[in-house]
Amino acid sequence: MSQTRAGRILIIDDSIEHIKILISLLAEQHEVFFAKSGEEGLEMLSIVEPDLILLDIVMPGMNGFETCRHLKENARWRETPLIFISARSEGDDESKGLELGAVDYIAKPFNPAIVRARLNNHLELREARCELKRLHGLALDINPVTGLPGNNSIAQRIEQLLRGIHHVSVMYTDIDNFKAYNDKYGFTRGDEVIRFMAEVLKKAVTKAGCPDAFIGHIGGDDFILTVPAGLCSAVTQDIISKFDQDIITFYNRQDTELRCIQAIDRRGRPQIFPIMSISIAGIDLSYRHFFSYLEVNDACTEMQKMAKAIPGSTVCFDQRRE
């Protein structure tokens, strides 16, 4: 059996004796907090932020059922597992508690093995539900072509980095002359190039040893990476080297020999387009203070314009400091 992750347990019970028993049973594995009334327990919620609540039914003032109603009315705590504890053995108490939203009922006097097992089971279920929600949210934001995180995940990642002190580089990449290739070879072949680009990025960060690197797919041929600033140079060099080496394999023999393709430009005129290359624009978050993801995006867009103005695969990095 896998070891249960330590949880934050809030006990709400007017009996000090029962609180001491529960603490002795749970404190070795979990963080345990307690309140001696329903009112006090509700006040402690935002401080403790419990993973599970043990709630006595019979208490002076606000009893357990009333406390439970207040808990379940608050969306923030509605899904926090709540287990009723009571010395009363009436069947109506148990059914009423479950109807109010409790996940279980434990009778007093406590059986240590049952208390630990039930509590650990509900903590594991809670953790599994949270993980499913996370994966579901991620799935909704996954790019269907590459399987990489999309724009919502990208924004969250950058905002997370901005809240801490991180020596991290943010890099935007896109493919030069991709539209011309897509127009001539079709969307299916274009998607193959997009997937190839995603693999180039993944292999580059793996080769550089960046376990905390993030790769997101903005859309089309646009990607974003976050890597430790000290590894930025190695990662970008590897990306360009691998891309330039293998991109030619996506062209037919004639275009490979000519090192270009004939296609129609955005104005509908025939034009010669070079073999695809890659433009990388980057900033170091430790150089300047950015307040939001939009500011980071604007800074990278500025560098991206400079990179795309230079023929061939290019890196433009913002070296300005505050």
Side-chain angles (χ1 to χ4, degrees):
M1 182 177 177
S2 62
Q3 186 175 2
T4 305
R5 178 186 65 83
R8 298 170 68 85
I9 313 300
L10 175 60
I11 304 167
I12 305 176
D13 194 329
D14 64 314
S15 169
I16 291 296
E17 179 184 352
H18 290 142
I19 290 173
K20 288 179 178 179
I21 293 171
L22 289 170
I23 290 175
S24 68
L25 292 176
L26 305 173
E28 185 176 340
Q29 189 175 1
H30 306 285
E31 290 185 82
V32 184
F33 304 84
F34 69 90
K36 292 182 288 184
S37 69
E39 294 87 349
E40 184 182 352
L42 293 174
E43 290 176 0
M44 289 180 65
L45 285 172
S46 58
I47 301 171
V48 175
E49 296 188 349
D51 297 308
L52 185 143
I53 299 167
L54 293 172
L55 177 60
D56 188 22
I57 293 177
V58 181
M59 296 185 293
M62 184 183 293
N63 67 28
F65 294 138
E66 293 176 83
T67 306
C68 181
R69 286 194 190 95
H70 283 286
L71 277 164
K72 298 303 177 181
E73 287 172 359
N74 190 323
R76 184 176 179 184
W77 312 114
R78 192 170 296 149
E79 296 186 15
T80 302
L82 183 149
I83 298 175
F84 275 116
I85 52 177
S86 179
R88 291 169 31 167
S89 58
E90 298 177 16
D92 289 346
D93 282 350
E94 186 171 356
S95 60
K96 185 176 181 179
L98 295 174
E99 288 173 4
L100 287 172
V103 297
D104 210 340
Y105 181 98
I106 299 176
K108 301 176 183 178
F110 300 120
N111 180 314
I114 289 177
V115 171
R116 292 193 188 99
R118 289 189 176 181
L119 188 137
N120 287 342
N121 284 342
H122 287 297
L123 284 173
E124 288 178 357
L125 286 171
R126 179 184 187 277
E127 192 169 358
R129 284 196 296 268
C130 290
E131 179 64 8
L132 283 173
K133 281 188 174 183
R134 186 190 72 80
L135 292 174
H136 178 67
L138 185 61
L140 294 176
D141 193 38
I142 287 291
N143 186 281
V145 177
T146 60
L148 290 173
N151 288 300
N152 290 336
S153 299
I154 292 170
Q156 290 173 10
R157 174 67 172 182
I158 301 300
E159 294 287 354
Q160 180 185 28
L161 291 173
L162 294 178
R163 288 194 293 270
I165 301 174
H166 298 281
H167 294 288
V168 175
S169 292
V170 178
M171 295 180 287
Y172 276 38
T173 74
D174 76 339
I175 303 173
D176 308 319
N177 304 313
F178 175 74
K179 183 183 182 304
Y181 178 91
N182 219 26
D183 291 343
K184 178 172 181 177
Y185 285 85
F187 291 107
T188 300
R189 295 285 295 277
D191 284 349
E192 291 177 4
V193 173
I194 296 298
R195 284 189 284 270
F196 159 71
M197 183 71 232
E199 288 303 312
V200 168
L201 299 178
K202 291 177 186 177
K203 289 177 180 178
V205 298
T206 300
K207 182 179 177 181
C210 307
D212 296 328
F214 173 86
I215 305 173
H217 190 172
I218 299 169
D221 59 313
D222 296 320
F223 294 83
I224 188 169
L225 299 87
T226 66
V227 300
L231 297 174
C232 179
S233 178
V235 170
T236 54
Q237 288 177 20
D238 195 59
I239 290 170
I240 288 176
S241 175
K242 185 63 175 175
F243 185 91
D244 287 349
Q245 175 184 309
D246 293 343
I247 193 61
I248 196 67
T249 62
F250 290 90
Y251 291 85
N252 62 32
R253 183 176 179 180
Q254 179 183 359
D255 292 341
T256 300
E257 291 175 352
L258 293 173
R259 303 291 299 184
C260 66
I261 63 173
Q262 291 185 345
I264 304 300
D265 67 13
R266 297 177 188 274
R267 298 181 181 179
R269 299 176 301 189
Q271 187 175 343
I272 302 297
F273 291 91
I275 297 297
M276 288 179 283
S277 56
I278 182 172
S279 292
I280 303 175
I283 60 170
D284 188 327
L285 294 182
S286 66
Y287 280 16
R288 286 188 284 154
H289 185 69
F290 296 93
F291 291 95
S292 69
Y293 166 61
L294 292 177
E295 290 187 3
V296 173
N297 182 71
D298 289 344
C300 286
T301 300
E302 181 184 358
M303 292 295 103
Q304 198 172 34
K305 290 178 181 177
M306 296 174 62
K308 293 188 77 66
I310 303 171
S313 293
T314 310
V315 179
C316 277
F317 212 83
D318 191 343
Q319 299 291 331
R320 291 173 292 181
R321 296 175 180 265
E322 286 182 329

